[in-house]
Amino acid sequence: MGDVLALVEARLRTALGEPDARAAMTFLGTDRIEVLRFVDGDVVRYATLGMSAQPMTDPTAALADPVRGPRAELVLSVRTGRADTDKVLRALAVLAASPQVEGVVVAPGASLDVGEQLWPAAPFSSVLVAEPGGLVEDVELDEPMEPVRFLPVLPMTANEAAWKRVHGAGALQERWLARGTDLRDPLRASVPLD
């Protein structure tokens, strides 16, 4: 476990630089989850560290495989100066602990909801899990372990989350793209969904 997390942290530092802050949380019955903060100009990135320590297991599986299964960490990027986004640390830790707590497999296209604002005055309580491979490259692990993927999470308003449930993740992402939505704006309004 420690070796995997050391490799993951090294990859984050290579891709994003030195973190300027970190917080750690432990939930009953789970491994420790850390959230690292990286500032890059007017963008702040929050990355989880600890979610990939164990592979995610299909909740319908009779036994959890301690070696095989997808591994991931979450990365959130937002613009600085518009909101107190540092309050997102707890929400990200909760989302990163969800595979251990709820037995879910977090994958691209999934919606994750924390049931409260991601940060004060945020119009979001949920995120859309996007495709990996853009900002931070996967960490390859020894066989038979699967690589650690860094999954971007994109905040969604309640209306967007409801629309995504009906039309799918791809349709919502196309709508954001067509409207030029700034997904890094921590106070953005919902994209028009008519």
Side-chain angles (χ1 to χ4, degrees), residues 158-194:
N159 286 344
E160 290 169 339
W163 198 83
K164 181 253 175 196
R165 281 192 293 277
V166 174
H167 300 280
L172 178 59
Q173 289 176 304
E174 286 174 17
R175 179 65 56 111
W176 283 336
L177 189 60
R179 300 291 181 142
T181 306
D182 181 2
L183 297 174
R184 293 179 177 173
D185 181 349
L187 299 175
R188 72 172 179 83
S190 183
V191 69
L193 299 169
D194 48 5

Side-chain angles (χ1 to χ4, degrees), residues 11-90:
R11 181 58 50 89
L12 285 168
R13 288 172 185 269
T14 299
L16 305 177
E18 288 297 311
D20 74 335
R22 65 193 308 148
M25 293 184 193
T26 305
F27 303 99
L28 187 62
T30 68
D31 295 327
R32 174 177 148 131
I33 302 286
E34 290 188 81
V35 180
L36 284 61
R37 183 180 71 185
F38 301 87
V39 177
D40 180 17
D42 70 337
V43 174
V44 61
R45 293 188 172 89
Y46 302 94
T48 63
L49 179 63
M51 182 176 171
S52 61
Q54 305 294 330
M56 292 181 274
T57 304
D58 183 336
T60 62
L63 293 172
D65 190 321
V67 178
R68 290 182 177 83
R71 295 174 188 257
E73 297 290 352
L74 307 176
V75 180
L76 170 70
S77 300
V78 291
R79 298 205 182 285
T80 60
R82 297 210 54 213
D84 185 9
T85 56
D86 281 349
K87 301 290 186 191
V88 78
L89 300 175
R90 183 175 178 357

